[in-house]
């Protein structure tokens, strides 16, 4: 069963943010042969943290894969958390049926 892997990435205005997104694009394309970045309309992520509401502007990176290498994804998530200076980067996988 193939999977759709979605990575929620925080963005900020500026060159550094675009450079980080370009690096993710290049890495995922090299590893999986392609990627979709939804960057034209960043979404707004909200969550409560100790009574305060935190906000992120996020874009989604998506790749379709046949098998999940949990070790690779865990390592990559750690790299992304350091690169984007985040406590947690959300990476999720959904089973899909190609039509």
């Amino acid at each position: 069963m193939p999977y759709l892997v979605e990575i929620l990435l925080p963005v900020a205005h500026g060159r550094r943010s675009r450079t980080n997104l370009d690096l993710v694009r290049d890495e995922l394309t090299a590893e999986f042969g392609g990627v979709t970045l939804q960057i034209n309309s960043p979404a707004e992520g909200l969550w409560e943290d100790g009574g305060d509401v935190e906000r992120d502007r996020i874009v989604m990176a998506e790749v379709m894969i046949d098998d999940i290498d949990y070790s690779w994804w865990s390592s990559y998530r750690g790299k992304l958390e350091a690169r984007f200076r985040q406590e947690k980067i959300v990476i999720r996988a959904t089973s899909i049926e190609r039509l």
Side-chain angles (χ1 to χ4, degrees), residues 12-64:
H13 295 292
R15 185 169 178 82
R16 178 181 175 88
S17 180
R18 185 61 211 200
T19 300
N20 284 340
L21 290 175
D22 289 345
L23 187 53
V24 169
R25 178 201 62 213
D26 295 345
E27 291 168 342
L28 294 175
T29 299
E31 185 70 27
F32 301 105
V35 63
T36 299
L37 283 176
Q38 298 180 28
I39 60 174
N40 288 336
S41 299
E44 184 175 58
L46 302 171
W47 70 96
E48 191 171 328
D49 183 19
D52 295 326
V53 175
E54 301 286 335
R55 297 173 189 263
D56 266 339
R57 292 178 49 111
I58 58 173
V59 299
M60 180 101 60
E62 299 176 331
V63 294
M64 290 194 313

Side-chain angles (χ1 to χ4, degrees), residues 63-91:
V63 294
M64 290 194 313
I65 59 175
D66 290 321
D67 297 301
I68 299 176
D69 179 341
Y70 290 94
S71 177
W72 188 91
W73 284 105
S74 177
S75 174
Y76 192 60
R77 185 182 64 245
K79 290 176 188 176
L80 293 176
E81 289 167 349
R83 182 181 301 158
F84 285 89
R85 299 178 182 162
Q86 296 289 300
E87 286 182 34
K88 293 283 183 188
I89 293 281
V90 173
I91 300 177

